Amino acid sequence: MSTTLGPSWNLRSSSSPRSLTVSLTKSPEQFSSNTAASSTSHNHHHNNNPFEDDELLSTTSDPSAASASFYSLTVGTERGSLHQRSYPAGNSRNGSNSRRGGNKSDYSSSSYIDPEHSINLQAAAQGSISGIVSSSTQQQQSALDINNNANSTPVFLLLVDDNRGSGASTSSNPGAFAAHLVTLRHGTFTKLTQYLEDNNESKHPSNRMGGGGGSRGNLRFEESPTNTNAMATVSLPRMNCATYHSNCGFVYASGTGVYSLTANNVKAVLNGMMMTNAASKDAYARQGGFGNKYPSSSRIRQSTAATLPTTTPPHAIFLKAASSLPRPGARCSATRNSMTLACSGRVAIVTVSNSFYAVPAGLDVGAAVTGMENTALSTNGVPASVLTTIPNVAASKILAFGQSSQVHPVIAIEVITSSDCHSYSSFSSTVAKSSSDAAAHQDAQYNQFLKPITSLLILASGRECTAVEIVSTPDPRSVSLLGKGSNTNNNRIVSTNVKTLPPRHGICNFASPILAAAPLRGNFDYERRNYRDSSSSSLTSGPLVALLTVDGLIHIRSPFCLAVPLSSIEVGTRPNDYFSVLSLPPSSPPHQRAAAEEEDRKILITSYGGEARTVTCREESSQDFADRLLKMSIDAFGPNGFPRLELAEALGATFSACSYVGADATASKRGLLRQYLEAVLGLAEDVRFFMGAGNDSHGGDRNVSMVVSEEGPETGGLEVVDQSLSGAVTLDPNALITCTALLCLVCFQLDTANATIANRAAKACSTALGIVKPTDRISKSAMAVCDLVADRLLKEAAAASISLLSSSSSMSATARPSPGSASMEYVEAAVWLLRSCGYHSKALQVLEERMNNPTLRNASVGMSSGGSSSSMGWSQIKYDSYFAAHLGELWSSKDDACCQIVLRSTATRDLITRNPALGLSIFTAMHPQNEKEWRNMKPSDDPLDNPNYPYKVVELLKAINPKIGVYDMESPGSAATVSASSGTLPLNSGRAIAVTYLESAIGIASGRPTEDHSLNETRSQTSDSVADMHDELSYLLLEGVISERGDRNDVDSALGGIYRHKLRRLLSWEGAKIRSDRLLTSLPSSFLREHALLLGRMGRHEDAIKIFYSDLGSIELALEYCDVRYERQQAQIEEAKLRGDRGNVIKPQHECSYLPLVKVALNSDPDSDRGLASAIQVLSLRRNSIDKSAALALLPKNVPMSAVVRPFLIPAIVENESQVRRLAVAEG
């Protein structure tokens, strides 16, 4: 990535700075004009406060002025002076508000930017201001808090080195620094006053302390003994270090204890943050107290209520932690990184000597629930009776560095927390929304509040630095009591447990000691709930860390791979006097920026000489990424240990990177490359956890897959997607497959080969890219890298196999397996790589050769006593399952080249021969399995949509001669278990396999709808090919019936009976597209029932019924035929009515389904009496469905009335009268 130096901010300080803090504010546009007149003076005074919005809104009516963003820098100096400066925010440094100056001979590469607004207070404290902690600090809060910070009045905690205290825990006056709370009011710094019941500015005019001018006559932070009306100021104990988080307020360490502020002091801080110079206690009280979301100015409430800050009481309180740290106690350091709060303020990270400790806080659940803020324990105090029920808190040790540095500062910063990604999208949608059910709303708040939170910390001391994950989990017992409606300890205090995970990537050593560090938050997209796309790697789009070392270098690193330098830039001269690094918040919240409006991340470095300079960190380009990866690969493998030229061409690396020689390849460099590639590919556990959408709980595997993105470069983009929370970062496909190939190669060259990671990476890459076609978006050079690495792995596998074969004879049952036991892992990784680059035939061939090699198969069986057989080779079912999955994916792609591979591959034939059911799934896995799937199917997904492939599949299946083996004996349709009534066709012949495929393709057994004509209309061009497939199925079934005849030609065998049943079902199916006239000429004369069904399909219903009635002598079969026809007619009538197409409604008097049977019975029966009886029987049985008048007209005239009165006429008349009465009642 690129790191560039920006302009210098003119601090205009008369003494050397020792501490500073920065925040985002909104300043009035008029400051620029006022500043121009007095910018030459260090003493710059306005009666306006950039943090007070009522002043902003009252002095300007320009909307753009109110929305302008400024960086507010508060500086404390070695002489006790306090300064506040405002500088314009935004990416452009050439804005209209920036002023430039300075001596170009001293700063030839940069320019100065004068402050837009200044507030000075000389000699504010008696001693050096060594530390400033602001209540509007963005370093430890989510990006969502930036808007609130920009609209709230800050409160500063000053740590002053007055040389009166001691950091030792045994001292009578523990705490190295005096502490003061200060705020900005009326354009000047004001010491924070206590919050009293009668707190009113009009009553206490002395609340406005000091002037805004820069003269030495400014009032110090001391109460005037002569002013009896002065309000008492906040008194704080001495401190060793301090920090701030919005969830717990100011927290400090002194001696062996960690403390929160007292209740009165917390009230004073909240009052100082919410009260503006026009506010009074009465107006404040009317607004609902500390939990109210609106400041006291009525002007602001009426005009900008949507953008006002939310100031709520702290809900994380550090109780009973006075002796939580070991001796000698917290390390004395006023720098901003010496103490930090993690896990959303639940855990305090404190340093004791060269060790880091975690101190948990208690959670006041009621303080986070809407409507209960006024009962918060942080502002009302914890009763003494309750404190006795709370156990003492003990700190847990995180780690201790080997180098104990008392000269250089210790550093602890929080980089990212799992709650960041949910702070906007999840909490605001589930908790902040109003709910009609108050109890359910409160439960939602409880559940959100009591979730475990994980933070990623950067810890540094001296030259050592590492990343550590820490998890804060509310006590399960307390959570259980709350869930049952009980208050824990009668005060809603929930204790928390802290768990620290060991550093995943070890400890990184720098060439020079580390002086300061700052987190650079990633470009998180709140709408997509993932990190914004990066054109190169996932590391630069996620969170980063900026580290300042003694040699004057700024190092930009990823917390997921600290040992790999992403960028570095020299900022200081030698000797270096830069001491501070601050990350500048974005000028607009991330969730309000569009994807194309990414804002460069910036940091501010400050020197003791009074120079503050900005450094801009931009996303790295694909070429930067390529150069780094190529150089790291040369360091890990050597110049000739990997496909260097192919990799350079695939990624677009520069000539200088390709010509890099590097030092000798070492195991440590290979380990570093592996760590980097895991992070880039999103396979590292911490990357998967934090670069998703911020999971709420830690632990457990999270499946990571990769999906090709349609948006991105012209070659396509690739998203690494976390399936549980849908987080994603993009990678170029060429970068993906080359990085995966290098990771597989390096995993097998480590001192201890890691086949699990290699196989997982290769499989994830193949899954992400899907079926790569020979002429796809992957470049030839990238495919060559994969191919060459795969060949290298296969050679390693062959060597390992030989090693194993030579040692297997002498290996005892308790012997340790040889290195060749990983041979199959080499093969598996190579196969996945070949699939990723589109070499599918080669991948199949590799596994076939491995499976069919009798030497290796016998060796793997022989290893079962002394080792695992799977270590040498797969089982047969695993081979078959892999072949079926791979071939099935190729077939489902519908690409001509891929389908040809399936049809021509010997792996397909061999698989179907060995395991017909599994092999057949290659072609049928994507077929719809029920009526719903058929209706939802796209026309292009119809199995018979392609006019060529179904025919080729049938020809392939017909030529198969399945082997009778273990699969056939275990399958449900095996010959050993089949019966004539089961209807399951055993796959013991090519004909049976082809029949099963065709039945699945046409959907006769899976509920394909016959009334949905849209499927047929879209297939007009392929109607002939579809009819061919239906004909093919009918001929195969007919062939099966004939070939499976027993000794007696007129009796079917069990298998022949199944074929005949399937043939009759096909002939009776309304959706069949059989050419009936062709099949009719091929039917043997003995297939009478089949003849009848075909005649019926041709519309010759009387001829069909004559076969049933006369030739087969079964009126039951004839009636069954007529019933099926009647049901179809009724369905067609109802469908026509629904469509409103009454012209196609069938007229019963001309199309009655039963009249042909009456005619056949009367005219075709040689016995006229029996024929007449059969006709009358039909009239009697189907009197509700038959056309009565037409049926009576068919009867002979000499039929006596008595023959039809009882069985037909009387029941028909009675039913008709009953229907008439029912209709009359309904009309009435």
Side-chain angles (χ1 to χ4, degrees):
M1 61 186 307
S2 80
T3 306
T4 58
L5 286 174
S8 296
W9 290 358
N10 191 353
L11 296 183
R12 291 188 175 274
S13 174
S14 59
S15 56
S16 176
R18 284 295 180 268
S19 59
L20 66 161
T21 182
V22 65
S23 60
L24 191 70
T25 63
K26 295 182 182 296
S27 293
E29 193 70 17
Q30 65 176 2
F31 286 163
S32 60
S33 59
N34 293 339
T35 305
S38 55
S39 60
T40 59
S41 173
H42 286 280
N43 304 326
H44 195 173
H45 168 61
H46 295 287
N47 288 326
N48 295 302
N49 186 355
F51 295 94
E52 295 176 357
D53 295 285
D54 57 341
E55 291 288 341
L56 184 153
L57 295 173
S58 63
T59 55
T60 179
S61 59
D62 185 5
S64 62
S67 62
S69 297
F70 288 78
Y71 289 127
S72 177
L73 187 66
T74 306
V75 183
T77 66
E78 62 180 357
R79 296 182 181 178
S81 301
L82 198 59
H83 308 276
Q84 189 272 335
R85 306 284 186 259
S86 296
Y87 302 92
N91 280 332
S92 175
R93 68 179 187 178
N94 297 323
S96 60
N97 294 329
S98 61
R99 292 167 48 86
R100 302 174 183 229
N103 188 349
K104 292 187 178 182
S105 62
D106 296 334
Y107 301 97
S108 59
S109 61
S110 64
S111 57
Y112 283 119
I113 295 182
D114 290 332
E116 297 292 328
H117 177 255
S118 298
I119 299 176
N120 303 297
L121 188 58
Q122 302 292 347
Q126 296 180 345
S128 174
I129 302 179
S130 301
I132 301 178
V133 181
S134 173
S135 62
S136 60
T137 299
Q138 288 85 23
Q139 309 296 330
Q140 296 170 334
Q141 301 180 44
S142 66
L144 190 66
D145 294 331
I146 294 175
N147 260 359
N148 293 340
N149 292 332
N151 291 306
S152 62
T153 301
V155 174
F156 304 101
L157 175 62
L158 306 184
L159 299 180
V160 180
D161 186 3
D162 56 1
N163 297 320
R164 295 180 183 179
S166 173
S169 59
T170 57
S171 173
S172 60
N173 190 19
F177 305 103
H180 304 279
L181 285 174
V182 181
T183 186
L184 275 171
R185 191 72 53 79
H186 306 291
T188 185
F189 289 102
T190 304
K191 191 169 183 180
L192 197 66
T193 57
Q194 292 183 4
Y195 178 79
L196 303 176
E197 292 299 327
D198 58 347
N199 183 5
N200 192 311
E201 288 188 348
S202 62
K203 183 176 180 180
H204 300 285
S206 61
N207 189 35
R208 297 177 62 176
M209 299 175 58
S215 65
R216 294 186 178 273
N218 284 338
L219 186 64
R220 297 185 182 182
F221 294 134
E222 299 176 359
E223 292 74 37
S224 175
T226 61
N227 190 353
T228 58
N229 291 328
M231 184 184 298
T233 57
V234 173
S235 177
L236 297 177
R238 301 185 68 85
M239 305 175 183
N240 284 2
C241 52
T243 186
Y244 176 85
H245 195 285
S246 59
N247 290 341
C248 57
F250 289 103
V251 178
Y252 66 94
S254 179
T256 59
V258 176
Y259 309 90
S260 296
L261 296 183
T262 63
N264 286 334
N265 290 343
V266 171
K267 288 182 180 180
V269 171
L270 295 176
N271 186 35
M273 295 174 63
M274 296 179 61
M275 299 283 284
T276 62
N277 57 353
S280 65
K281 179 260 176 185
D282 295 334
Y284 170 74
R286 287 195 300 269
Q287 294 158 21
F290 294 107
N292 189 44
K293 298 185 178 181
Y294 301 98
S296 53
S297 174
S298 60
R299 290 192 303 254
I300 303 179
R301 269 202 315 274
Q302 295 173 0
S303 57
T304 58
T307 62
L308 293 175
T310 301
T311 305
T312 56
H315 55 252
I317 311 174
F318 289 87
L319 300 173
K320 304 295 285 290
S323 301
S324 57
L325 299 173
R327 294 183 183 276
R331 184 167 173 173
C332 299
S333 178
T335 60
R336 63 178 303 104
N337 298 330
S338 58
M339 179 181 181
T340 191
L341 291 164
C343 302
S344 295
R346 295 181 180 181
V347 182
I349 309 299
V350 189
T351 308
V352 178
S353 184
N354 65 328
S355 301
F356 293 86
Y357 289 84
V359 181
L363 301 180
D364 181 9
V365 182
V369 178
T370 302
M372 300 179 64
E373 298 91 340
N374 291 331
T375 64
L377 299 177
S378 59
T379 55
N380 291 279
V382 182
S385 58
V386 172
L387 286 176
T388 58
T389 64
I390 301 176
N392 292 327
V393 174
S396 59
K397 186 175 182 180
I398 300 177
L399 62 82
F401 286 111
Q403 300 176 4
S404 178
S405 175
Q406 297 296 329
V407 177
H408 302 290
V410 290
I411 296 171
I413 61 174
E414 182 187 51
V415 179
I416 186 174
T417 179
S418 59
S419 62
D420 282 352
C421 304
H422 290 275
S423 59
Y424 178 78
S425 58
S426 177
F427 186 78
S428 62
S429 61
T430 59
V431 178
K433 289 183 179 180
S434 60
S435 173
S436 57
D437 189 349
H441 181 55
Q442 189 176 84
D443 290 342
Q445 289 181 305
Y446 276 134
N447 294 334
Q448 179 69 26
F449 180 74
L450 296 175
K451 287 183 178 181
I453 297 179
T454 304
S455 286
L456 182 63
L457 305 177
I458 296 297
L459 307 179
S461 176
R463 291 179 171 86
E464 296 179 309
C465 182
T466 189
V468 176
E469 294 172 55
I470 185 169
V471 187
S472 173
T473 306
D475 180 61
R477 180 178 176 274
S478 302
V479 174
S480 177
L481 291 175
L482 284 174
K484 297 177 182 178
S486 172
N487 288 337
T488 307
N489 294 331
N490 298 321
N491 63 350
R492 307 185 310 270
I493 290 293
V494 176
S495 59
T496 57
N497 302 321
V498 178
K499 177 184 177 182
T500 302
L501 303 181
R504 295 183 184 273
H505 310 298
I507 295 177
C508 173
N509 288 278
F510 285 76
S512 298
I514 302 172
L515 292 178
L520 299 175
R521 296 192 178 274
N523 294 314
F524 192 82
D525 191 332
Y526 282 89
E527 293 185 359
R528 293 178 55 190
R529 298 183 66 188
N530 58 16
Y531 282 91
R532 295 180 185 268
D533 300 342
S534 170
S535 59
S536 52
S537 70
S538 61
L539 293 183
T540 57
S541 63
L544 300 174
V545 180
L547 300 128
L548 172 65
T549 54
V550 171
D551 54 4
L553 293 178
I554 288 289
H555 304 267
I556 306 298
R557 305 287 177 96
S558 168
F560 308 119
C561 193
L562 278 173
V564 177
L566 300 180
S567 179
S568 61
I569 188 171
E570 185 174 5
V571 295
T573 58
R574 289 182 173 84
N576 169 59
D577 65 344
Y578 283 93
F579 70 97
S580 173
V581 178
L582 298 176
S583 59
L584 297 178
S587 57
S588 61
H591 63 277
Q592 293 182 0
R593 296 197 303 265
E597 297 178 353
E598 294 183 9
E599 189 169 337
D600 295 331
R601 287 173 278 188
K602 296 180 180 180
I603 59 177
L604 182 70
I605 54 175
T606 310
S607 69
Y608 290 118
E611 181 182 10
R613 197 160 191 184
T614 58
V615 177
T616 302
C617 303
R618 294 182 175 87
E619 297 287 345
E620 69 177 3
S621 63
S622 58
Q623 183 173 314
D624 295 335
F625 170 71
D627 289 350
R628 181 188 306 113
L629 181 59
L630 187 59
K631 291 180 180 180
M632 292 182 65
S633 301
I634 293 175
D635 288 336
F637 303 113
N640 301 317
F642 70 105
R644 176 168 52 93
L645 297 179
E646 291 81 1
L647 178 64
E649 183 180 355
L651 298 180
T654 60
F655 177 78
S656 60
C658 190
S659 304
Y660 174 74
V661 177
D664 294 337
T666 61
S668 62
K669 293 179 180 178
R670 286 191 289 271
L672 183 61
L673 177 61
R674 171 208 159 183
Q675 178 184 342
Y676 177 70
L677 290 173
E678 282 188 69
V680 168
L681 293 172
L683 298 174
E685 292 294 332
D686 48 359
V687 177
R688 294 166 58 195
F689 182 80
F690 289 105
M691 291 292 286
N695 198 2
D696 287 312
S697 60
H698 195 281
D701 290 336
R702 299 169 63 194
N703 295 328
V704 174
S705 64
M706 305 177 189
V707 181
V708 176
S709 173
E710 298 297 335
E711 300 177 358
E714 58 182 2
T715 56
L718 186 121
E719 295 181 353
V720 181
V721 179
D722 189 307
Q723 291 177 335
S724 61
L725 294 170
S726 302
V729 290
T730 60
L731 277 178
D732 180 81
N734 293 322
L736 173 72
I737 62 173
T738 51
C739 288
T740 304
L742 291 176
L743 180 58
C744 293
L745 183 61
V746 76
C747 282
F748 287 108
Q749 292 191 12
L750 298 174
D751 292 340
T752 302
N754 195 327
T756 303
I757 293 179
N759 291 333
R760 179 179 165 212
K763 185 176 181 180
C765 177
S766 177
T767 303
L769 295 173
I771 297 300
V772 178
K773 306 171 185 63
T775 57
D776 216 334
R777 60 194 175 280
I778 308 299
S779 65
K780 293 182 179 180
S781 55
M783 297 170 66
V785 172
C786 268
D787 190 22
L788 292 173
V789 172
D791 289 342
R792 176 76 174 273
L793 297 180
L794 293 175
K795 292 179 181 178
E796 296 287 345
S801 302
I802 296 174
S803 174
L804 181 60
L805 291 174
S806 62
S807 59
S808 61
S809 59
S810 60
M811 184 177 293
S812 62
T814 59
R816 188 176 179 182
S818 69
S821 60
S823 61
M824 196 57 207
E825 280 78 3
Y826 287 102
V827 175
E828 185 177 1
V831 168
W832 285 113
L833 286 179
L834 292 172
R835 289 182 58 173
S836 299
C837 62
Y839 294 156
H840 301 286
S841 297
K842 185 175 180 179
L844 295 170
Q845 183 181 359
V846 167
L847 276 185
E848 276 192 292
E849 292 177 355
R850 185 82 182 181
M851 180 185 65
N852 296 328
N853 191 326
T855 304
L856 296 177
R857 295 299 296 272
N858 294 335
S860 65
V861 174
M863 277 291 296
S864 59
S865 60
S868 173
S869 62
S870 62
S871 65
M872 185 64 190
W874 288 349
S875 62
Q876 188 63 57
I877 186 61
K878 187 171 183 179
Y879 274 111
D880 290 346
S881 299
Y882 176 86
F883 281 129
H886 189 185
L887 293 169
E889 291 177 9
L890 290 174
W891 185 258
S892 301
S893 69
K894 298 183 179 180
D895 179 75
D896 290 339
C898 295
C899 292
Q900 290 298 329
I901 292 175
V902 176
L903 295 173
R904 297 174 181 176
S905 175
T906 56
T908 306
R909 299 175 182 271
D910 294 342
L911 175 60
I912 301 176
T913 302
R914 289 190 307 270
N915 192 338
L918 186 60
L920 186 59
S921 66
I922 297 172
F923 306 104
T924 62
M926 299 301 294
H927 292 179
Q929 301 300 315
N930 51 59
E931 182 179 355
K932 181 179 179 180
E933 292 183 4
W934 278 107
R935 292 188 181 277
N936 296 333
M937 177 191 66
K938 297 179 181 179
S940 59
D941 293 336
D942 194 305
L944 299 180
D945 180 67
N946 191 295
N948 300 319
Y949 288 130
Y951 174 77
K952 295 181 179 179
V953 172
V954 171
E955 292 300 315
L956 171 65
L957 298 178
K958 287 164 60 176
I960 299 295
N961 185 18
K963 296 181 180 179
I964 304 299
V966 62
Y967 298 121
D968 298 291
M969 298 302 295
E970 293 177 354
S971 62
S974 62
T977 60
V978 71
S979 62
S981 59
S982 65
T984 303
L985 186 63
L987 305 179
N988 57 2
S989 65
R991 181 196 312 114
I993 300 173
V995 166
T996 305
Y997 165 75
L998 286 173
E999 286 186 333
S1000 176
I1002 68 177
I1004 187 174
S1006 54
R1008 181 171 191 153
T1010 58
E1011 71 277 6
D1012 190 358
H1013 301 289
S1014 60
L1015 294 178
N1016 300 329
E1017 293 171 358
T1018 58
R1019 199 185 300 118
S1020 58
Q1021 296 180 351
T1022 59
S1023 57
D1024 291 340
S1025 61
V1026 172
D1028 290 340
M1029 291 299 100
H1030 285 246
D1031 287 345
E1032 181 68 23
L1033 176 59
S1034 62
Y1035 285 116
L1036 287 173
L1037 293 173
L1038 178 60
E1039 180 183 340
V1041 175
I1042 297 175
S1043 62
E1044 296 297 334
R1045 286 284 182 102
D1047 296 336
R1048 298 176 56 186
N1049 292 334
D1050 57 342
V1051 178
D1052 294 332
S1053 63
L1055 189 56
I1058 296 177
Y1059 277 114
R1060 186 182 290 273
H1061 168 75
K1062 289 181 176 294
L1063 176 60
R1064 291 174 177 175
R1065 182 180 65 176
L1066 175 63
L1067 298 179
S1068 302
W1069 186 42
E1070 188 179 3
K1073 303 295 186 295
I1074 301 171
R1075 298 182 179 94
S1076 302
D1077 51 346
R1078 296 183 183 181
L1079 182 60
L1080 188 61
T1081 59
S1082 303
L1083 279 178
S1085 58
S1086 59
F1087 284 49
L1088 296 178
R1089 191 168 176 178
E1090 288 74 12
H1091 270 89
L1093 294 175
L1094 284 174
L1095 290 173
R1097 296 185 62 84
M1098 299 170 63
R1100 298 165 57 182
H1101 300 292
E1102 288 192 21
D1103 294 338
I1105 293 174
K1106 186 178 297 184
I1107 294 177
F1108 286 119
Y1109 182 81
S1110 301
D1111 298 344
L1112 295 176
S1114 174
I1115 191 175
E1116 291 79 9
L1117 290 178
L1119 268 176
E1120 181 182 349
Y1121 175 86
C1122 295
D1123 289 340
V1124 172
R1125 186 171 173 232
Y1126 175 78
E1127 292 174 359
R1128 291 178 179 175
Q1129 286 181 349
Q1130 295 301 312
Q1132 293 174 2
I1133 292 173
E1134 293 299 327
E1135 183 181 358
K1137 289 181 179 179
L1138 292 176
R1139 294 198 308 263
D1141 187 7
R1142 298 189 177 274
N1144 292 332
V1145 176
I1146 301 174
K1147 298 180 180 180
Q1149 63 269 24
H1150 299 298
E1151 299 290 344
C1152 180
S1153 302
Y1154 298 98
L1155 294 182
L1157 177 56
V1158 174
K1159 294 179 182 179
V1160 169
L1162 292 174
N1163 301 328
S1164 301
D1165 198 322
D1167 187 347
S1168 58
D1169 294 337
R1170 185 178 61 187
L1172 178 60
S1174 298
I1176 295 175
Q1177 182 182 2
V1178 172
L1179 295 178
S1180 175
L1181 293 175
R1182 300 295 184 265
R1183 59 179 175 269
N1184 294 329
S1185 305
I1186 199 171
D1187 185 351
K1188 301 178 182 60
S1189 58
L1192 289 175
L1194 294 176
L1195 294 178
K1197 296 181 179 181
N1198 58 354
V1199 175
M1201 184 64 66
S1202 59
V1204 296
V1205 168
R1206 184 178 295 274
F1208 176 66
L1209 290 179
I1210 293 178
I1213 293 173
V1214 171
E1215 290 179 1
N1216 286 342
E1217 290 180 353
S1218 298
Q1219 185 176 3
V1220 169
R1221 285 195 297 269
R1222 287 194 298 269
L1223 292 176
V1225 172
E1227 290 179 358

